[in-house]
Amino acid sequence: MAKYYDVHPENPQPRTISQVAAAIRADALIAYPTDSCYALGCRLGSKDGIDRIRAIRNLDDRHHFTLVCQDFAQLGQFVRVDKDVFRAIKASTPGSYTFILPATKEVPRMLQHPKKKTVGVRIPDHVVTQALLAELGEPLLSSTLLLPGEDEPMTQGWEIKDQLDHVVDGVLDSGDCGTEPTTVIDFSDGEAQIVRHGAGDTSRFE
């Protein structure tokens, strides 16, 4: 049964955030809010977490997982970013964007695209997510909480707990965070390719 964590959207209780971070370090899979929609998240090296996310979302091995990072310094440890791409990403973060970039050796192979050796990264503009990342001290391995056959992600924490109670370990609820997933920009070849139009404005990448 999933543990339910209710936090204030603007002033999340540090004790609760600390409890969620401790659960993640102990290999828990959680549903948590972001600046675009709810996501599934686990610790970076959790094979069990990855397998469970794949099972919940019915994903194949070509799916790009996302490393949700606290800031640009952390992001830079996990992907290779040249000068021009750096400027474009820096101008768009934090925000509702996911960027696909070549992975560094810090990224476990099981997270990388099997052929391209790329991974998704993002820096969210969300108080609760940022508090959790600060407490955790490392990126969250994440995927949008979009269930098979559904057109939109789930938006209510209580509803997520009710439906996924048996397959996740915790639900972090800070209220509705919308249904539009991130805009996805692929920079793996050095040029911006818009993979998905979402919550982030794409005009600077077109």
Side-chain angles (χ1 to χ4, degrees):
M1 182 178 289
K3 188 160 184 180
Y4 183 73
Y5 305 93
D6 188 15
V7 295
H8 192 279
E10 294 171 10
N11 296 291
Q13 301 89 319
R15 185 165 177 261
T16 304
I17 294 297
S18 180
Q19 290 173 343
V20 177
I24 292 167
R25 290 190 199 101
D27 235 14
L29 175 63
I30 64 157
Y32 71 99
T34 76
D35 53 347
S36 57
C37 56
Y38 270 88
L40 294 166
C42 63
R43 69 177 178 85
L44 184 59
S46 176
K47 185 178 185 308
D48 178 65
I50 293 169
D51 290 344
R52 290 165 70 189
I53 291 172
R54 286 193 196 281
I56 291 167
R57 292 205 51 205
N58 193 24
L59 301 172
D60 62 28
D61 65 359
R62 294 185 303 277
H63 175 76
H64 268 108
F65 283 99
T66 298
L67 301 182
V68 178
C69 301
Q70 183 184 359
D71 53 30
F72 218 95
Q74 192 177 72
L75 180 148
Q77 299 173 43
F78 298 95
V79 289
R80 294 196 303 276
V81 187
D82 69 26
K83 195 160 55 178
D84 291 338
V85 172
F86 174 90
R87 281 196 292 266
I89 295 177
K90 187 79 170 171
S92 308
T93 55
S96 301
Y97 297 90
T98 298
F99 300 100
I100 296 171
L101 289 158
T104 67
K105 63 179 186 301
E106 301 296 320
V107 179
R109 189 169 293 180
M110 61 185 172
L111 300 186
Q112 300 177 28
H113 187 283
K115 290 184 178 177
K116 297 180 179 180
K117 308 303 180 194
T118 49
V119 70
V121 286
R122 68 172 299 222
I123 302 170
D125 186 13
H126 192 276
V127 171
V128 174
T129 318
Q130 281 290 342
L132 179 57
L133 291 168
E135 179 67 26
L136 197 58
E138 64 177 47
L140 263 174
L141 166 62
S142 291
S143 183
T144 303
L145 210 176
L146 181 62
L147 298 180
E150 297 293 328
D151 294 326
E152 291 189 339
M154 300 172 76
T155 61
Q156 302 291 338
W158 62 267
E159 182 183 32
I160 293 168
K161 183 181 185 326
D162 191 49
Q163 191 161 340
L164 300 181
D165 204 27
H166 59 298
V167 291
V168 300
D169 301 305
V171 177
L172 179 57
D173 188 359
S174 64
D176 193 329
C177 57
T179 61
E180 197 167 18
T182 57
T183 291
V184 180
I185 311 292
D186 189 342
F187 270 118
S188 57
D189 293 326
E191 298 289 329
Q193 292 187 332
I194 300 169
V195 176
R196 179 177 71 197
H197 290 266
D201 179 16
T202 60
S203 58
R204 74 180 68 203
F205 301 105
E206 291 170 337

